[in-house]
Amino acid sequence: MIDKTVASFDEAVSDIVDGAFLHMGGFASPFNMPSYLIAALARSGARDLTMTTTSASTGPENAKRLASALADVVTWPQDYWEPGLLAQLGQIRKLITSFPTGTGNVVWPFEERLNAGEAEVEVTGQGSLAERIRAARAGIAAFYTPVGPGTVVAAGKEIRDFEGVPHVLEHALHADFALIRAWKADRYGNLVFRGPRTFNETMAGAARVTIAEVDEMVPLGDLAPDRIHTPGVYVQRVVVRPSTPPASWEEPC
Amino acid sequence: MIDKTVASFDEAVSDIVDGAFLHMGGFASPFNMPSYLIAALARSGARDLTMTTTSASTGPENAKRLASALADVVTWPQDYWEPGLLAQLGQIRKLITSFPTGTGNVVWPFEERLNAGEAEVEVTGQGSLAERIRAARAGIAAFYTPVGPGTVVAAGKEIRDFEGVPHVLEHALHADFALIRAWKADRYGNLVFRGPRTFNETMAGAARVTIAEVDEMVPLGDLAPDRIHTPGVYVQRVVVRPSTPPASWEEPC
Amino acid sequence: MPDTLPGTLPPRLDATVMAMVVVREFFDGAVVNLGIGIPMHCADVIPPDREVLLHSEHGLLGFGPLLRTAEGVDPYCFIVGNRPVQPQPGMVYLSHDESFSIIRGGHIDITVMGGMQVDTEGNLANAHPPGKPAANLGGAQDLATCAKRTMIMMYHTASDGSPKVVERCTFPLTAPRCVDRIVTDVAVMDLEGGHIVLREVAPGWTPEQVQSITGARLVVADDVREISLV
Amino acid sequence: MPDTLPGTLPPRLDATVMAMVVVREFFDGAVVNLGIGIPMHCADVIPPDREVLLHSEHGLLGFGPLLRTAEGVDPYCFIVGNRPVQPQPGMVYLSHDESFSIIRGGHIDITVMGGMQVDTEGNLANAHPPGKPAANLGGAQDLATCAKRTMIMMYHTASDGSPKVVERCTFPLTAPRCVDRIVTDVAVMDLEGGHIVLREVAPGWTPEQVQSITGARLVVADDVREISLV
């Protein structure tokens, strides 16, 4: 019998070792971030991680400020942790990302690491990042895109003209683990998302092991075949978020 | 106000001229074939068409035989027309397809044209065909795949090794028109499919004009944002199938 | 009431009026991506007689204006910066890859984004501020390269008064030769064949006054006129 | 009851028994693609204690056996050849591109397909019959190249008696160096380092008898044994 459920977040990330390459989903909202997987990774202490993320993220302190600035509009979940926490804890060696730094005067934890020479970054546009991850899921080794020539992202890469337009050759990004957030799952690992699906959908299947953090596990057959966004063959582990949030990310879960 | 509805199939295909390049969706079932668009194309008489299809298809006579062979299992729709009809009428100059011929002793209309030297074929595996069409939708000029080297599909194409494995460079296929079949649409052209979505979903957006034949038009807002398979920005025209099938494909519709 | 003291300049447009200038081009049915920051003002002033589909990179198409109170908030319907937006009928949620397929496949009619520098070749720099260790490219490179029309909506000069419309960008490029039109708080300019053509000036401004705060030579259109919102 | 007349050969396995030999390898949770024709027999004999996810190229994952009467038919749940199959809980409908992303991204554990010729290097020819003007590649090239394990299920000899297991394929290749195992109506053979290793023979058959109807030299495994279905 297929059952991809894993009992705890700590167990789900237990084989993510130092130096692992991770795809990390979620973006632009506390409601689509794989927060419990991030917290478990923080507790595990795995270091020297290489990670793809849309954004390096703002970090716990800035997130708190944003939450109170938006308090009249959105009720912020208290169990929100993002990749900035891992940067703050010094667990990230390298990010491949489209937003490495804060805007204006805001300085993010990863940016502090960068400035201190303790981390490195490969800046890439979001489109090529998405396509490179999708290429890994789909078995494409590399592709030519018109986005990038004439800018820093093309440095050292092959440029070739197609119909007179320069294109840059971009390579697939295949990770050891993909950590994503979904809404509902069944025991096959079939996933349904809610809201913009961001990299959460894109990254599923682009790693040796895809781990989905979900709000709810439903019986097999409850998810209609036309409604499933991610087929279970892309997912190796599913962990359900607790109904009662822990007091802090440090609490085993 | 956005309203992509077109009143008739004849009108929907009226600007498909001789020599046009078409993506033609549907495969493996009478219930996902853009049959009315095919019938309208047959009536229009547009010739010298280049077309991508999963299969050249069996043609009206063989389809009838198949329908009666399966009569105890499936009730065959009488308004089923497939690309074989266009081949029989001599409208296809070239197919880019993964199944150009019948199996065993069955000879398809397109195959007869091939044997007579009246048509040509570019045989491609279904995966590279799907990916080349998706590349057009997604703005990728070309990509490297490990599928094809050492076989006829790689003839004349660039081969490059990635991690010691030979890959072939395949180019995007961008058509003038994509003719597809969906289940429900709204006036923005948002589409929901039923059953395996085949090339119908893949081709939407991979042409200058995508035309969707649908079973039903629903009010804007009826299709939940999480359930829409194809966003309306990929679709230019929508035509609703008649509730009462015409007597033959020759009847204006 | 233009300021007529010698050496001083007329008042500039505010962000809402700039947005009204930009949205003149949002035709009925247009698919539009608005950058975070000043371009988001456009969402508030789209004429109600036009259906414009707003696109956001993380997988959202067809949403409404930013919500500034808790009323009507769907916590799953938000744009970058964790800001909830108004859900609309016909809206679609997407994955990041499909969302960028929409951008890179040429399915966006108009992209409106902020700028740090634009030069005479239409090169755009808007991602890497001085002093930051790396660029925040986001989706700007994809949008600027692949949208059918790229509009830059920005203040004409930086906060220190230095020009942002320049002969040659000195900041790292977001994308080369991509800009079609620049809308600032004092002018509307088009990029044409290696020139920046001054099409419209803010009320009270002369072409010479616009030129005086611009870092590139402007070609004044024969029919240069005052910005009108019609 | 093996035929013992000199010069004649023992009886061969039928398609159902061949399928039972193939499905021995379908582990619980395996993702399996079955080719049209003889491999589809496997769907009928999957042991009920194992959950095997069947994949079909046009966008179907997790379906059940072919339906041979109208009972339980969902006209939207079918496989290639317009044949309805049994819907199952956990089933997923997909687009063609995502379905091939599953194949080409290496997410298929086992592919079982028919063959016209397999040679000692594991080259496969199964798409272009003599006399036809072009090959019917379908998804065979993708599956044979990208599945974790490629199994060929075919009769040991063609209808005219000619061998299908050969030194070097003479028909156009579907994919080079892709075959892991061949299951025929008389033997089970593995491709290993440029050799075809004979692992199992049908009841009553000797390795020599199998060799006598084979077009390539077989390496007989030290532990060659009679096919068993356990």
Side-chain angles (χ1 to χ4, degrees), chain C:
Chain C
M1 199 172 63
D3 190 332
T4 51
L5 287 177
T8 64
L9 293 168
R12 301 185 177 206
L13 306 180
D14 66 20
T16 300
V17 177
M18 289 165 71
M20 292 168 84
V21 174
V22 171
V23 303
R24 292 182 310 191
E25 302 189 34
F26 293 6
F27 56 89
D28 193 30
V31 183
V32 174
N33 184 292
L34 300 176
I36 290 306
I38 190 172
M40 269 308 291
H41 287 271
C42 297
D44 295 321
V45 296
I46 296 170
D49 63 335
R50 288 176 232 166
E51 284 188 324
V52 171
L53 296 182
L54 297 181
H55 173 269
S56 183
E57 294 95 300
H58 63 312
L60 184 55
L61 177 69
F63 57 94
L66 275 176
L67 292 171
R68 296 178 176 92
T69 68
E71 199 187 321
V73 164
D74 171 347
Y76 290 91
C77 185
F78 54 86
I79 56 165
V80 176
N82 307 277
R83 306 302 163 99
V85 288
Q86 178 73 50
Q88 304 270 17
M91 191 172 71
V92 189
Y93 293 136
L94 301 154
S95 68
H96 235 115
D97 50 305
E98 202 60 52
S99 181
F100 275 88
S101 166
I102 290 177
I103 296 173
R104 290 154 63 117
H107 309 281
I108 301 282
D109 294 307
I110 300 170
T111 183
V112 186
M113 57 179 78
M116 288 163 46
Q117 291 180 328
V118 179
D119 70 22
T120 54
E121 291 201 320
N123 297 318
L124 169 66
N126 69 355
H128 195 157
K132 284 288 185 181
N136 274 346
L137 279 178
Q141 193 167 73
D142 304 280
L143 286 158
T145 305
C146 301
K148 288 178 194 151
R149 186 163 173 79
T150 297
M151 299 179 69
I152 303 303
M153 179 180 174
M154 65 181 188
Y155 296 111
H156 203 89
T157 49
S159 49
D160 65 359
S162 63
K164 301 173 73 169
V165 176
V166 295
E167 279 298 327
R168 194 62 70 242
C169 288
T170 54
F171 298 143
L173 293 191
T174 301
R177 291 183 178 72
C178 59
V179 177
D180 295 298
R181 170 163 278 202
I182 310 167
V183 174
T184 74
D185 47 354
V186 304
V188 175
M189 292 153 282
D190 286 338
L191 277 292
E192 287 177 12
H195 300 289
I196 302 175
V197 179
L198 181 63
R199 294 263 172 229
E200 301 175 57
V201 295
W205 285 70
T206 63
E208 295 70 26
Q209 285 171 318
V210 172
Q211 177 67 73
S212 73
I213 58 168
T214 301
R217 195 181 66 82
L218 300 175
V219 175
V220 181
D222 291 342
D223 60 347
V224 65
R225 59 189 182 280
E226 191 170 275
I227 286 172
S228 114
L229 298 179
V230 198

Side-chain angles (χ1 to χ4, degrees), chain A residues 119-215:
Chain A
E120 54 179 309
V121 67
E122 176 184 335
V123 176
T124 173
Q126 235 171 103
S128 286
L129 185 55
E131 192 70 22
R132 291 172 70 189
I133 295 166
R134 189 254 170 205
R137 178 177 97 219
I140 301 300
F143 57 86
Y144 289 99
T145 169
V147 178
T151 76
V152 63
V153 306
K157 294 176 184 168
E158 180 191 321
I159 304 286
R160 185 188 293 198
D161 278 12
F162 290 85
E163 296 180 7
V165 177
H167 286 61
V168 59
L169 183 66
E170 296 280 3
H171 288 70
L173 283 170
H174 199 278
D176 299 316
F177 296 87
L179 277 55
I180 64 169
R181 167 92 175 263
W183 183 35
K184 293 182 180 182
D186 63 26
R187 65 180 172 81
Y188 282 5
N190 291 316
L191 302 180
V192 168
F193 299 86
R194 195 169 165 187
R197 299 195 284 279
T198 71
F199 276 114
N200 288 314
E201 183 177 4
T202 303
M203 289 170 166
R208 188 172 52 77
V209 176
T210 295
I211 312 174
E213 169 179 334
V214 302
D215 290 277

Side-chain angles (χ1 to χ4, degrees), chain A residues 12-252:
Chain A
V13 305
S14 60
D15 56 349
I16 301 183
V17 296
D18 291 358
F21 180 17
L22 312 183
H23 289 322
M24 178 69 77
F27 180 53
S29 158
F31 301 99
N32 72 11
M33 190 60 73
S35 284
Y36 282 89
L37 287 169
I38 290 168
L41 211 49
R43 289 192 297 279
S44 87
R47 298 182 68 84
D48 291 325
L49 301 173
T50 295
M51 219 182 270
T52 68
T53 58
T54 317
S55 160
S57 347
T58 195
E61 298 313 313
N62 294 317
K64 248 177 239 160
R65 277 191 283 274
L66 181 60
S68 62
L70 288 175
D72 292 342
V73 188
V74 187
T75 307
W76 211 259
Q78 70 174 88
D79 50 356
Y80 174 49
W81 305 290
E82 30 85 295
L85 172 64
L86 303 175
Q88 188 166 297
L89 294 170
Q91 294 177 267
I92 300 176
R93 186 182 60 77
K94 180 179 175 182
L95 280 190
I96 303 170
T97 189
S98 74
F99 284 110
T101 76
T103 50
N105 295 324
V106 180
V107 176
W108 291 353
F110 179 71
E111 195 176 342
E112 290 174 3
R113 297 283 162 173
L114 270 186
N115 288 332
E118 294 165 6
E120 54 179 309
V121 67
E122 176 184 335
V123 176
T124 173
Q126 235 171 103
S128 286
L129 185 55
E131 192 70 22
R132 291 172 70 189
I133 295 166
R134 189 254 170 205
R137 178 177 97 219
I140 301 300
F143 57 86
Y144 289 99
T145 169
V147 178
T151 76
V152 63
V153 306
K157 294 176 184 168
E158 180 191 321
I159 304 286
R160 185 188 293 198
D161 278 12
F162 290 85
E163 296 180 7
V165 177
H167 286 61
V168 59
L169 183 66
E170 296 280 3
H171 288 70
L173 283 170
H174 199 278
D176 299 316
F177 296 87
L179 277 55
I180 64 169
R181 167 92 175 263
W183 183 35
K184 293 182 180 182
D186 63 26
R187 65 180 172 81
Y188 282 5
N190 291 316
L191 302 180
V192 168
F193 299 86
R194 195 169 165 187
R197 299 195 284 279
T198 71
F199 276 114
N200 288 314
E201 183 177 4
T202 303
M203 289 170 166
R208 188 172 52 77
V209 176
T210 295
I211 312 174
E213 169 179 334
V214 302
D215 290 277
E216 194 184 346
M217 181 68 78
V218 301
L220 198 71
D222 270 22
L223 305 176
D226 275 327
R227 293 210 53 177
I228 291 167
H229 295 116
T230 292
V233 293
Y234 289 155
V235 178
Q236 281 68 45
R237 299 174 194 166
V238 179
V239 206
V240 183
R241 293 164 59 92
S243 48
T244 311
S248 88
W249 64 263
E250 295 170 275
E251 203 172 291

